[in-house]
Amino acid sequence: LRYCNGITVTDMPRARAKADTPSVSRRLRPPRQARSRQSQERVLDAFAAMLAEQPFEQIRMADLARRAAVAVTSIYARFEDKRALVLALHERHVDETRRVTDELLDPRKWAGADLETIVRAVMTRIVAHQRPRAPLLRTALLVNDRDVEVRVAHLMHHGSERLAALVRPHLAHVPSGERDRLVDFAFR
């Protein structure tokens, strides 16, 4: 199966360890202290809010620092440049989306529900989760970074597998070899 710009993930294990996740660590210097972690989160939150208000190219580090209530030097101490901010924010988004996906597609939550109810509710929730993040997702695509492509491919594979496991019992009329492929196609 091909997922994103030629990235093939058919041989991926079902459960992926955090260590296997592509990282922006080479562009991000992680904080060691709780106060520094809080500052970094404020910077990422402010950056996300600014992306929702204006194009990436118009965001100035001085404005970001003011909005996050940190010094510009504090931002540069953690992030190589604005692109590193995008990658860190995208990585945080992918981690959050993975948690939401796991919660949403937990089969215990849908015990007794029919296929239409499951699909309608799942799609509604996915759209509601992603819509406010559209500026970040658009910007992450524009930075044209392989880490983004790989993270998206892993996330799509994970979501597709979880959805297939959830709806497989409702697809008895579809030949077994086609079920997961059709769900994967629909999920994308």
Side-chain angles (χ1 to χ4, degrees):
L1 300 172
R2 292 187 109 36
Y3 288 93
C4 184
N5 291 340
I7 298 169
T8 305
V9 290
T10 52
D11 298 326
M12 281 178 34
R14 288 204 182 271
R16 180 175 51 80
K18 180 74 174 165
D20 295 338
T21 305
S23 173
V24 297
S25 61
R26 66 182 180 275
R27 295 173 221 151
L28 169 67
R29 291 170 284 288
R32 294 187 186 119
Q33 299 175 342
R35 188 183 56 171
S36 296
R37 281 190 295 277
Q38 291 168 350
S39 292
Q40 180 173 310
E41 288 302 309
R42 280 198 321 273
V43 168
L44 291 174
D45 290 343
F47 188 61
M50 291 176 80
L51 280 174
E53 298 165 0
Q54 63 195 76
F56 170 72
E57 300 79 20
Q58 293 178 6
I59 295 174
R60 294 183 4 199
M61 290 298 228
D63 297 334
L64 175 60
R66 195 171 14 267
R67 188 160 185 168
V70 300
V72 173
T73 55
S74 295
I75 297 173
Y76 281 115
R78 298 281 170 230
F79 302 95
E80 187 176 280
D81 53 18
K82 283 194 320 186
R83 182 183 169 125
L85 280 162
V86 172
L87 297 174
L89 189 57
H90 185 262
E91 187 169 50
R92 184 174 81 169
H93 163 73
V94 167
D95 290 345
E96 176 189 340
T97 300
R98 189 175 183 88
R99 283 190 299 277
V100 167
T101 300
D102 288 345
E103 177 187 312
L104 179 62
L105 299 177
D106 182 348
R108 295 172 294 191
K109 180 178 181 173
W110 300 101
D114 61 58
L115 182 61
E116 183 177 345
T117 300
I118 293 170
V119 171
R120 185 179 311 275
V122 166
M123 292 301 117
T124 299
R125 178 68 173 102
I126 288 172
V127 169
H129 176 73
Q130 298 293 17
R131 183 171 282 147
R133 292 155 183 85
L136 164 63
L137 301 176
R138 186 173 27 258
T139 304
L141 290 173
L142 290 174
V143 298
N144 193 26
D145 189 277
R146 186 75 171 162
D147 286 349
V148 170
E149 294 174 9
V150 172
R151 275 197 301 270
V152 168
H154 281 276
L155 185 62
M156 294 302 289
H157 181 73
H158 176 75
S160 177
E161 280 189 334
R162 295 296 305 265
L163 183 61
L166 179 62
V167 300
R168 199 175 288 126
H170 299 281
L171 299 175
H173 61 285
V174 177
S176 64
E178 294 290 308
R179 291 179 197 152
D180 290 357
R181 188 180 65 75
L182 290 175
V183 170
D184 182 68
F185 178 78
F187 186 75
R188 289 170 201 289

